Amino acid sequence: MRAARTAYPLKWRIMDALEGVAAAIWPARFRRATPYLMLLPAVLLVGLLVLGLIQIADASLRTLDTTTFQFSDDYSIANFRRALTEPLFLVVAQRSLIAALIVTAVTLVFAFPYAYLMVRTRSPGLRKFLLIALFLPFFIGQVVRAYGWLIILGNQGMVNEALGLVGVAPMRLIYNYPAVLFGLVQYMLPFAVLMLAPALTAIPEELEAAAGSLGANWVRTFIHVVLPLARPGFIGAGVVVLTLSLTDFAVPAILGGGSHDFIANAIYDQFFRTSDQGLGATLALMLVALGSILVGLVFALFGAGTLAMGRSRA
Amino acid sequence: MQEPFRAVASREAEGGREIAVTVRNVGMDFDGVHAVKNASFDLPKGRFLTILGPSGSGKTTLLRMIAGFQTPSSGEIFINGEAVSAVPPHKRSIGMVFQRLALFPHMTAAENVAFPLKMRRRDARTIPERVERYLELVRLGGYGGRRIHELSGGQQQRVAIARALVFEPDLLLLDEPLAALDRKLREEMQLEFRRIQRELGVTTINVTHDQREALVVSDDIVVMDQGEIQQKAQPIHTYRQPRNAFVANFIGVTNFIAGTVRAVSEAGDVSILRGDLMLAGKIGDPVNPPAEGDKASGAIRAEQIRLAGDAAQLSKLDCMLAGTVTDTIFEGERMVYEVACAAIGDEVIRVFDHDPAAHTQFDIGESVFLGWNARDMLVFR
Ligand SMILES: Nc1ncnc2c1ncn2[C@@H]1O[C@H](COP(=O)(O)OP(=O)(O)OP(=O)(O)O)[C@@H](O)[C@H]1O
Ligand SMILES: [Mg+2]
């Protein structure tokens, strides 16, 4: 009895039963259609997105009549002209773009040692600690976290109180550009580490030992072996951080205090403050275009990295 | 402080050659696991040493300590007479070929071979010529531009060898780099190693669990088991004069017949009694010889036993046993017979039949006689 159970465990029996049920519902001759069937949810989702995009494209071509609060029936490119000429939008776009680039660079620099240590450490305790520390922010959520920074860095915040104790006058630590950048880096770090770690895991440790025995100290091992091989991870992490920062809403809203808006905040204002959905839609489309161009540029210059799932380069 | 060590470490070897590597009382503990215990040996310059042992016997650990990737828990390693425990790998002049090669996948074959030269800041103008020369040495001339994944397994192996040799290291370390190859290619590469090593005269330590490889390529073999060195000797001595039962059993196909020692002579003759059967043999380990009354076993190799259908044919041999064939295994160049012998409680003795003239063939169930000479049976405690 016992021998039979270990030879053919319960798990296998359950699987057999499930397979039997599956075969009754979906006979083998339909099998060729199975892959397409499994793609269906994804196709539906993307399809909905495309529908929404068409809707937005339609809205972007209609102008708002400020006296009647009605949208025009005929199409015009007035919204696009406004978006491209009004200094406010250019400033916002420039601010978002520069922030995204700075945040990406700084995040990658900070994320790499963290990911490297997490992957290479021989101590299981340290690895667990680093992993938990990595996921903790995900449980807390972006808004709460940004709000937490207010508590810490605000005018009556913990930092200023501590400074007060040693006789330093309170400083304005938030509602400025560096505060937004700081908040974004802190928010992006776990994403970057998560994207870098698999790329580092894929580099055999033996390669580093080999570089050592061939005469490379750790700096040169890092430059000539680890860095080039970690490149797919850098590209993947870079693209994710770049697009997430470029389109971020909560951090500039809370830590920028309305004076350091990003494109997403400007779009929000158009939709929900001035109710100019036409202009909001225009800005949204331009954000999509900007993001696509940036990602396309990265892929064209460096290949798709880990996002291409191992088919990156010859 | 180091003076006495250094004086001893750089002494001349038996052959008058300088010592390249000295391993002295080296041990390695991994949280209570003794991976290597009190290992000591000297390796003269230019020699090819193979560390042979079963899986988990501590071969890789010993090699990694010599390479500098791990620091011994006890003992000291000397390279060219210098204690090296404080010297990091990149400052030791050691070329290593790893078990999984560890070629850099983002570089071409030539870039891989050039890597150690660049890291050692050799004159950039001489590098291409030198790289090509070493690629030619491993018979890969013209393949320099290929990426690693565009090369076959055997070609990758050669790139790894060229990369380990190109900077003319004092010492070449090989950690089972041939284990993954098919048998034909492996045997080809074994001879290749031998050729290159002789051509360059580089001191080499090779790790393997393939006894054939050890016998074919080495000047000396160190046999390891459970972290301990069992024997260090030239291949022919390792095979013909194993120092203990482990070595006798690990290399070659060996039959053991257990018994009680009855007599030991000055000249090294021993006889052991098994039931009613008295077997004559020689002392296997002179350092640790058996004494009368000890439990001991006689070791006799499968190829040193002759097999015949009638006893008269074996009359010139010292020992004879009757038995019944229980299995025959055809291995191509030879036939292996398994023979159960009544006199030793039906224990099975394995015999190689390599008689090229007679081509006699025995079938399962047939009664046969086994015979051998007393000097071929080694008795171990
Ligand atoms: N880093 C380590 N931590 C703990 N134990 C280890 C470590 N490395 C090796 N060991 C143990 O030390 C012993 C010797 O290992 P080693 O790798 O030297 O064996 P080996 O002779 O090279 O075997 P193989 O032929 O399988 O490669 C084994 O019992 C192994 O489990
Ligand atoms: Mg090993």
Side-chain angles (χ1 to χ4, degrees):
Chain A
M1 178 62 207
R2 240 196 127 151
R5 198 180 299 161
T6 47
Y8 206 78
L10 188 62
K11 236 191 278 175
W12 294 7
R13 286 174 211 275
I14 293 173
M15 284 308 291
D16 284 352
L18 287 179
E19 273 174 29
V21 174
I25 300 171
W26 190 255
R29 66 200 141 87
F30 294 170
R31 196 162 287 160
R32 281 164 58 101
T34 312
Y36 299 101
L37 193 77
M38 294 180 120
L39 263 181
L40 209 60
V43 170
L44 277 177
L45 258 173
V46 174
L48 279 176
L49 262 174
V50 170
L51 279 183
L53 219 54
I54 291 171
Q55 193 77 47
I56 287 178
D58 179 76
S60 73
L61 293 170
R62 298 174 194 277
T63 43
L64 182 74
D65 186 334
T66 41
T67 50
T68 60
F69 273 95
Q70 295 287 314
F71 284 98
S72 60
D73 283 332
D74 47 326
Y75 293 148
S76 82
I77 55 161
N79 284 330
F80 286 90
R81 196 174 298 132
R82 264 189 78 193
L84 286 175
T85 50
E86 274 186 36
L88 171 69
F89 298 128
L90 287 182
V91 167
V92 166
Q94 198 185 7
R95 182 189 293 140
S96 313
L97 188 60
I98 290 174
L101 293 174
I102 294 174
V103 167
T104 305
V106 174
T107 305
L108 289 182
V109 169
F110 284 165
F112 183 84
Y114 193 106
Y116 188 83
L117 190 64
M118 194 172 77
V119 168
R120 284 285 192 254
T121 180
R122 295 201 188 288
S123 148
L126 180 61
R127 181 173 303 120
K128 257 181 225 142
F129 170 78
L130 291 175
L131 262 174
I132 292 170
L134 188 64
F135 279 101
L136 215 53
F138 287 128
F139 303 145
I140 294 169
Q142 201 192 357
V143 175
V144 177
R145 202 146 26 116
Y147 192 72
W149 284 120
L150 286 188
I151 297 171
I152 294 169
L153 300 174
N155 287 347
Q156 270 98 48
M158 280 150 57
V159 173
N160 269 325
E161 282 196 4
L163 286 177
L165 288 181
V166 291
V168 179
M171 288 190 285
R172 219 174 113 97
L173 297 171
I174 44 164
Y175 301 147
N176 53 30
Y177 200 41
V180 176
L181 295 182
F182 173 80
L184 275 174
V185 167
Q186 201 256 349
Y187 170 50
M188 295 302 164
L189 213 53
F191 292 104
V193 172
L194 279 182
M195 297 292 292
L196 278 172
L200 292 177
T201 314
I203 305 174
E205 216 174 335
E206 224 173 35
L207 287 188
E208 291 169 48
S213 83
L214 293 169
N217 58 22
W218 73 266
V219 179
R220 308 184 104 206
T221 301
F222 178 76
I223 294 173
H224 294 284
V225 177
V226 180
L227 220 46
L229 289 173
R231 184 183 145 117
F234 276 107
I235 296 168
V239 165
V240 167
V241 173
L242 190 71
T243 49
L244 283 182
S245 324
L246 186 67
T247 57
D248 197 60
F249 175 81
V251 174
I254 298 173
L255 289 178
S259 53
H260 295 86
D261 281 355
F262 278 20
I263 302 177
N265 307 88
I267 295 170
Y268 179 89
D269 285 350
Q270 291 308 322
F271 273 106
F272 301 106
R273 291 231 170 101
T274 47
S275 287
D276 188 345
Q277 290 174 23
L279 189 57
T282 305
L283 290 175
L285 275 185
M286 293 176 78
L287 180 55
V288 169
L290 184 62
S292 307
I293 290 169
L294 274 180
V295 172
L297 212 62
V298 171
F299 286 177
L301 285 178
F302 307 116
T306 42
L307 300 173
M309 297 172 194
R311 294 215 179 166
S312 48
R313 293 185 323 147
Chain B
M1 222 324 263
Q2 282 191 356
E3 273 316 305
F5 268 146
R6 199 173 290 188
V8 186
S10 60
R11 76 181 195 278
E12 303 270 303
E14 317 87 60
R17 293 177 109 160
E18 246 181 285
I19 298 292
V21 182
T22 298
V23 171
R24 172 140 342 106
N25 303 333
V26 165
M28 185 72 193
D29 281 5
F30 293 113
D31 316 312
V33 180
H34 297 286
V36 174
K37 290 175 227 165
N38 201 26
S40 297
F41 63 80
D42 285 328
L43 177 60
K45 271 210 166 80
R47 302 275 283 189
F48 194 119
L49 176 90
T50 294
I51 303 175
L52 175 68
S55 188
S57 56
K59 308 182 295 290
T60 297
T61 307
L62 185 53
L63 205 69
R64 290 179 66 87
M65 288 190 286
I66 295 171
F69 301 132
Q70 269 157 353
T71 313
S73 326
S74 58
E76 182 59 276
I77 294 167
F78 301 86
I79 298 176
N80 296 330
E82 303 279 340
V84 292
S85 58
V87 182
H90 68 273
K91 297 235 173 92
R92 301 184 186 191
S93 177
I94 291 178
M96 179 146 175
V97 181
F98 290 78
Q99 189 155 1
R100 270 154 298 174
L101 302 186
L103 292 169
F104 302 125
H106 59 298
M107 299 181 192
T108 62
E111 284 166 351
N112 265 281
V113 178
F115 185 83
L117 299 175
K118 281 196 193 124
M119 292 305 115
R120 282 156 207 276
R121 302 183 198 279
R122 298 284 170 85
D123 184 354
R125 283 163 302 178
T126 65
I127 290 179
E129 179 267 329
R130 194 179 178 82
V131 166
E132 193 53 36
R133 187 145 50 86
Y134 273 81
L135 283 174
E136 265 158 30
L137 177 77
V138 296
R139 306 186 188 192
L140 277 180
Y143 283 80
R146 300 265 193 112
R147 288 195 162 263
I148 297 308
H149 65 88
E150 293 168 344
L151 296 170
S152 75
Q155 289 166 338
Q156 293 183 5
Q157 217 88 42
R158 288 157 200 261
V159 175
I161 297 166
R163 186 180 71 172
L165 286 170
V166 71
F167 59 100
E168 290 175 345
D170 293 340
L171 183 62
L172 177 65
L173 302 181
L174 310 166
D175 187 5
E176 304 201 44
L178 303 182
L181 299 183
D182 66 71
R183 184 172 156 186
K184 192 138 183 74
L185 188 56
R186 190 165 66 232
E187 287 174 4
E188 223 174 276
M189 292 297 300
Q190 286 167 3
L191 296 177
E192 196 85 331
F193 269 151
R194 188 78 214 148
R195 172 183 72 81
I196 293 168
Q197 196 267 341
R198 287 208 174 126
E199 220 167 295
L200 301 178
V202 58
T203 316
T204 304
I205 302 180
N206 173 44
V207 158
T208 187
H209 53 240
D210 177 348
Q211 47 157 303
R212 199 196 117 85
E213 178 183 323
L215 294 171
V216 169
V217 301
S218 325
D219 295 318
D220 290 300
I221 298 177
V222 163
V223 181
M224 283 188 79
D225 182 41
Q226 295 181 10
E228 280 179 283
I229 293 183
Q230 305 293 320
Q231 181 169 16
K232 174 177 181 277
Q234 291 171 19
I236 195 158
H237 295 139
T238 309
Y239 193 85
R240 297 210 175 137
Q241 288 140 36
R243 289 294 291 281
N244 58 34
F246 174 82
V247 178
N249 190 31
F250 189 67
I251 301 179
V253 176
T254 309
N255 300 290
F256 287 91
I257 303 173
T260 311
V261 177
R262 270 297 120 97
V264 185
S265 83
E266 288 284 297
D269 297 312
V270 198
S271 44
I272 57 174
L273 187 70
R274 167 67 179 267
D276 299 329
L277 182 71
M278 185 70 92
L279 292 166
K282 289 275 183 190
I283 289 176
D285 179 7
V287 180
N288 189 14
E292 205 177 314
D294 281 350
K295 296 265 174 240
S297 46
I300 178 85
R301 296 214 189 264
E303 73 272 19
Q304 280 158 341
I305 304 175
R306 284 206 55 198
L307 192 67
D310 71 279
Q313 280 175 278
L314 303 177
S315 59
K316 286 207 189 71
L317 299 173
D318 303 334
C319 300
M320 198 163 68
L321 270 182
T324 311
V325 176
T326 54
D327 205 355
T328 63
I329 301 145
F330 180 59
E331 289 187 349
E333 73 272 27
R334 68 189 176 202
M335 184 71 92
V336 183
Y337 289 101
E338 296 198 337
V339 180
C341 300
I344 53 171
D346 275 339
E347 266 175 39
V348 165
I349 301 281
R350 278 180 294 173
V351 185
F352 293 160
D353 186 49
H354 50 93
D355 180 352
H359 293 299
T360 41
Q361 166 86 37
F362 300 98
D363 291 320
I364 294 176
E366 230 174 296
S367 291
V368 291
F369 293 91
L370 307 179
W372 62 84
N373 281 316
R375 65 177 142 80
D376 292 329
M377 175 170 273
L378 296 178
V379 178
F380 298 104
R381 283 220 290 194

